[in-house]
Amino acid sequence: MQKIVIWGAASGLGAAMVEYFHAQCYEVIAVARNPSKNPKIEEYKLASFSCDATDKAQVEQVVSQLPEGAISISTMGSFRADVPVDYIGHRHLIDALEINGLNRFLLVTSLGCGDTWKYLSEAARKGFGAAVREKSLAEAWLTSSSLDYTILRPGGLKNGNVSHSGQLSQHEEVHGVIARSEVARLAESLIQSKESIGQIYACVDPKLNS
């Protein structure tokens, strides 16, 4: 059974990832600052770790206990936190994964990161531009690492079931929204594809209205 480690598993997109991958019969390991915030982790009897990713020692300790060959997916993020996890937490995680030889890693950031910053509206830059810039730094740290990485940049996140209508794209301007569960489905397709290693994708669902 393939082992998937979900970082940021307590809420939001991370919680949707936990539900999706558990339903697909993966062995899910949940990591979050406070895993008890997601009752599904206990309901599904999943292995879990409490970890503040802004603390390098905590990240190193958790990663050292992960099983060989486990694939990590990170949805970690913070909004207006005193110490945002978006960059420093991922820097700690990427470094620890390298040291421990856990090479396959999918990082979920957002539209507007990296070379798509120019497409972000002025209102969006004012509203959450700081978080996007932090995530862009995380992407830069990852792309200069030795990991077998994939980066996924979803549009605005909504609740909802898997739609099978989410679309991946590269090297083009994209705007829109997508359900968290559909992001999880697309994430699964990417981690199972060797062609996605070293690639960056955007994803939105054209059937959803923004």
Side-chain angles (χ1 to χ4, degrees):
M1 186 182 297
Q2 199 161 35
K3 300 172 178 64
I4 299 291
V5 187
I6 307 297
W7 293 78
S11 61
L13 180 56
M17 291 275 188
V18 167
E19 284 205 56
Y20 178 85
F21 280 96
H22 176 74
Q24 302 304 311
C25 298
Y26 289 80
E27 182 179 333
V28 177
I29 300 168
V31 184
R33 184 173 298 192
N34 184 4
S36 65
K37 287 178 62 178
N38 182 356
K40 295 291 185 182
I41 295 173
E42 182 175 357
E43 179 184 333
Y44 298 155
K45 296 179 172 56
L46 304 180
S48 65
F49 294 92
S50 176
C51 179
D52 177 355
T54 65
D55 185 320
K56 183 179 180 180
Q58 288 189 38
V59 175
E60 290 175 343
Q61 183 179 32
V62 170
V63 172
S64 71
Q65 297 177 73
L66 297 177
E68 183 179 354
I71 297 171
S72 283
I73 298 176
S74 180
T75 67
M76 294 190 298
S78 51
F79 183 62
R80 295 177 179 171
D82 291 337
V83 183
V85 73
D86 305 76
Y87 168 56
I88 194 63
H90 284 114
R91 177 171 173 168
H92 295 332
L93 175 56
I94 291 160
D95 290 351
L97 291 172
E98 281 188 302
I99 290 169
N100 286 272
L102 296 169
N103 292 322
R104 192 68 173 105
F105 180 51
L106 187 143
L107 172 63
V108 183
T109 58
S110 70
L111 291 182
C113 287
D115 60 352
T116 63
W117 173 263
K118 60 190 174 185
Y119 303 134
L120 206 61
S121 70
E122 194 59 36
R125 291 182 186 185
K126 289 180 179 178
F128 52 89
V132 171
R133 293 173 72 187
E134 289 272 345
K135 292 178 188 296
S136 295
L137 290 171
E139 288 189 357
W141 195 262
L142 178 57
T143 57
S144 60
S145 76
S146 63
L147 297 182
D148 293 334
Y149 72 85
T150 304
I151 294 171
L152 183 58
R153 299 169 175 167
L157 296 171
K158 290 182 170 290
N159 293 325
N161 297 324
V162 173
S163 66
H164 297 281
S165 54
Q167 294 183 353
L168 296 168
S169 62
Q170 292 182 287
H171 315 303
E172 61 182 89
E173 183 175 357
V174 176
H175 300 278
V177 299
I178 188 167
R180 292 175 178 86
S181 57
E182 183 66 1
V183 176
R185 183 188 71 82
L186 293 172
E188 182 192 20
S189 71
L190 291 173
I191 63 171
Q192 297 298 345
S193 168
K194 290 183 178 179
E195 287 72 27
S196 75
I197 294 174
Q199 299 298 311
I200 301 174
Y201 300 87
C203 65
V204 296
D205 191 337
K207 291 189 176 180
L208 292 182
N209 294 320
S210 58

